[in-house]
């Protein structure tokens, strides 16, 4: 299946209807409940940062690369948000957070903890982590970005 994206920049939530995932609609409910305004682009899950660049072009804003990671024992989980083109160095980050070697967390853990599928991990998924098992790690460049 080819990756597809609507080239329209929308403001606010979409209409509920066929093809809208309940989890997606829950994110809009969450943002609306907080009074957060947002723009969005409708697209298939983005498994590679190259496809995210197309979304960035429509939004006119950079998108962070989100990596769902865990330690070797799969007892500690992390969501790393970093600039899209910055290389990820497992050894360096493991040392910074004083963790055993990090790797990509299993897909079932991504669903269990954040209710996200591969290609859709996002900071908004942390709203589903009611037990606070996932630690958010923000790269300094993402933290300092406007």
């Amino acid at each position: 299946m080819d990756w597809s994206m609507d080239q329209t920049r929308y403001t606010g939530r979409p209409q509920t209807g066929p093809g809208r995932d309940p989890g997606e609609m829950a994110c809009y409910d969450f943002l609306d409940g907080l009074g957060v305004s947002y723009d969005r682009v409708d697209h298939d899950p983005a498994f590679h940062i190259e496809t995210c660049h197309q979304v960035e072009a429509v939004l006119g804003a950079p998108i962070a690369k989100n990596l769902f990671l865990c330690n070797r024992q799969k007892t500690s989980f992390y969501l790393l948000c970093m600039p899209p083109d910055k290389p990820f160095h497992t050894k360096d980050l493991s040392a910074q957070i004083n963790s055993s070697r990090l790797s990509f967390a299993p897909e079932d853990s991504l669903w269990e903890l954040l209710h996200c599928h591969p290609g859709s991990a996002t900071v908004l998924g942390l709203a589903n982590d009611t037990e606070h098992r996932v630690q958010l790690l923000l790269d300094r460049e993402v933290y300092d970005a406007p």
Side-chain angles (χ1 to χ4, degrees), residues 64-133:
K65 176 169 46 177
N66 297 302
L67 305 177
F68 187 58
L69 308 167
C70 65
N71 63 353
R72 183 185 310 248
Q73 299 82 8
K74 296 180 178 71
T75 56
S76 297
F77 296 90
Y78 307 92
L79 181 64
L80 171 63
C81 299
M82 59 187 297
D85 297 319
K86 186 174 186 175
F88 171 56
H89 299 289
T90 307
K91 182 179 176 182
D92 296 342
L93 181 59
S94 294
Q96 285 178 327
I97 65 172
N98 196 28
S99 174
S100 62
R101 196 186 98 233
L102 295 173
S103 63
F104 291 102
E107 185 177 331
D108 60 332
S109 296
L110 176 60
W111 178 255
E112 175 190 345
L113 297 171
L114 301 183
H115 297 205
C116 295
H117 297 288
S120 65
T122 173
V123 173
L124 289 173
L126 293 171
N128 297 313
D129 180 21
T130 57
E131 296 177 7
H132 308 289
R133 292 181 54 202

Side-chain angles (χ1 to χ4, degrees), residues 24-71:
E24 174 189 1
M25 298 310 293
C27 286
Y28 299 128
D29 292 341
F30 179 71
L31 292 171
D32 292 346
L34 293 174
V36 174
S37 62
Y38 52 91
D39 290 343
R40 64 179 174 79
V41 173
D42 289 342
H43 60 85
D44 291 338
F47 295 104
H48 305 285
I49 200 64
E50 293 79 19
T51 53
C52 290
H53 291 313
Q54 296 174 46
V55 177
E56 289 176 330
V58 175
L59 285 176
I63 293 177
K65 176 169 46 177
N66 297 302
L67 305 177
F68 187 58
L69 308 167
C70 65
N71 63 353

Side-chain angles (χ1 to χ4, degrees), residues 126-145:
L126 293 171
N128 297 313
D129 180 21
T130 57
E131 296 177 7
H132 308 289
R133 292 181 54 202
V134 180
Q135 183 176 348
L136 176 63
L137 303 174
L138 290 176
D139 182 278
R140 175 59 63 185
E141 290 178 53
V142 172
Y143 180 80
D144 289 338

